[in-house]
Amino acid sequence: MMKTPITVLQELMVKFSESPEYECVAQSGPQHLAVFEYRCAARGHVVSATARSKKEAKQEVARLMLARLAAAGLSVPPPYAAPAAAAPLACDEPSAGAVGTGSRSYKALLKELCQEYNLPGPEYTLEGDTGPAHARRFTARCAVGAHARIASATTKKAAQQLAAQQLYQYLRENLARLTEDFVEEDALARAHERAMERYVEARADAPHRPDLGQCVADYHLEEEQVSLGADALEAASPDAEPETALQAVAGALGLRVEWHSLPAEGGALTLVRLAPSSPPLVFCARTRDAAAAEALTYLRLTMKFKGQK
């Protein structure tokens, strides 16, 4: 009999004298069609998953964590070492380059809830940041009228998401009778549709302009890594496939290349993420080669910018 993902993950973590941390972070939908969201943290990684029962959600999030640990280089027994469906990426709000309608962007849900019931729009403020550069903690405040919540995380966006999640869940619980007809899936779909429209307009009106203010040094790379990355860029053949070149440069920089597919009108979008990095290095395009080319353009310009500083 094959072991469950939870059992396999527990046995794997015992080797490190650690235990995975599970948390049921959300429940949505009517009682007879409830959807549960579980979060799992292990070895510095955090993933989330949803299912129709707590048991299924916990098993699914354990499966995703095993796939994440396998991608990070840990020895995970089959079949759990195979790539799993990627967990949704944290983001400001649904956008063509960040999230699909199946994820839970609580900033988007909170904004939709406020618009639906004529509440003041959410306001976000940065309350502070602490810790060294390689382990920064940001504290964000989310307020809707007189109600507010404060949360901390390793990035500003993640802190805002957590604060928005706490405030959204508080409002839904305390305004249950008034908001019983508010459907989260429909709200996310509306937000995603508007974001797609903005994305298409932005891509049509503006050329690619990487943020040169965020040089590679912002991602806590050693000088030697940056030098190796620059050498890998120079060594890349002009005729090489962008995806192949990106793998070589990312490897030199000590970054992992992650691919995601996002549903969109006119065909799926391809998202490539270079990890680990904070803030995230994420690039989006219609094809893998185009997304890889976007990432290479960014790395080439930012490393050149760093060398001129």
Side-chain angles (χ1 to χ4, degrees):
M1 182 176 179
M2 189 172 68
K3 296 180 180 179
T4 66
I6 291 178
T7 301
V8 174
L9 180 58
Q10 182 65 39
E11 292 177 352
L12 180 64
M13 295 302 294
V14 166
K15 298 178 181 179
F16 303 97
S17 300
E18 299 176 7
S19 295
E21 299 178 5
Y22 298 97
E23 180 184 10
C24 183
V25 296
Q27 176 181 342
S28 60
Q31 191 66 33
H32 65 289
L33 290 174
V35 175
F36 300 90
E37 181 179 1
Y38 255 75
R39 182 177 296 157
C40 177
R43 302 296 294 171
H45 300 276
V46 179
V47 298
S48 61
T50 58
R52 291 295 185 185
S53 70
K54 292 184 178 180
K55 182 178 180 180
E56 291 176 357
K58 192 173 181 180
Q59 291 286 3
E60 178 64 9
V61 80
R63 185 180 69 84
L64 290 175
M65 178 57 75
L66 286 169
R68 179 71 62 84
L69 294 177
L74 272 67
S75 178
V76 176
Y80 301 115
L89 300 175
C91 64
D92 251 346
E93 61 182 61
S95 68
V99 66
T101 57
S103 65
R104 283 289 182 274
S105 171
Y106 286 97
K107 290 187 68 175
L109 283 172
L110 182 59
K111 183 178 180 180
E112 289 292 318
L113 183 72
C114 292
Q115 291 178 344
E116 186 78 12
Y117 296 95
N118 296 318
L119 297 172
E123 296 182 357
Y124 299 90
T125 56
L126 180 63
E127 298 292 297
D129 58 280
T130 59
H134 67 280
R136 212 72 174 159
R137 295 286 297 182
F138 298 90
T139 301
R141 180 177 186 269
C142 175
V144 173
H147 302 285
R149 289 293 183 274
I150 296 177
S152 297
T154 55
T155 67
K156 295 177 184 178
K157 290 184 178 180
Q160 290 176 349
Q161 280 285 358
L162 289 174
Q165 177 181 349
Q166 294 174 16
L167 186 53
Y168 170 79
Q169 292 174 341
Y170 168 80
L171 292 174
R172 285 303 302 272
E173 291 171 2
N174 289 272
L175 302 175
R177 291 184 180 179
L178 298 176
T179 65
E180 59 184 6
D181 59 343
F182 183 78
V183 181
E184 293 186 354
E185 285 72 17
D186 292 345
L188 285 171
R190 291 194 300 269
H192 177 73
E193 184 177 353
R194 287 196 295 269
M196 279 299 302
E197 293 175 354
R198 292 195 300 271
Y199 170 77
V200 172
E201 292 174 357
R203 295 288 293 182
D205 297 340
H208 174 77
R209 290 187 180 133
D211 180 2
L212 299 183
Q214 290 194 6
C215 61
V216 174
D218 293 335
Y219 301 95
H220 317 305
L221 299 172
E222 299 294 336
E223 290 293 335
E224 182 179 356
Q225 288 177 292
V226 175
S227 177
L228 290 173
D231 291 343
L233 274 173
E234 291 182 3
S237 170
D239 299 327
E241 295 291 333
E243 185 176 344
T244 302
L246 179 61
Q247 289 284 0
V249 176
L253 292 172
L255 298 174
R256 185 173 65 256
V257 180
E258 299 177 351
W259 294 96
H260 304 273
S261 180
L262 304 175
E265 292 184 9
L269 293 171
T270 298
L271 184 80
V272 59
R273 178 179 181 180
L274 304 182
S277 62
S278 178
L281 281 171
V282 182
F283 308 89
C284 183
R286 285 291 179 184
T287 66
R288 287 174 72 102
D289 276 350
E294 294 264 357
L296 284 170
T297 298
Y298 177 89
L299 291 175
R300 185 175 292 107
L301 290 173
T302 50
M303 280 193 281
K304 180 179 179 181
F305 179 74
K306 175 179 171 58
Q308 295 175 348
K309 292 181 67 177

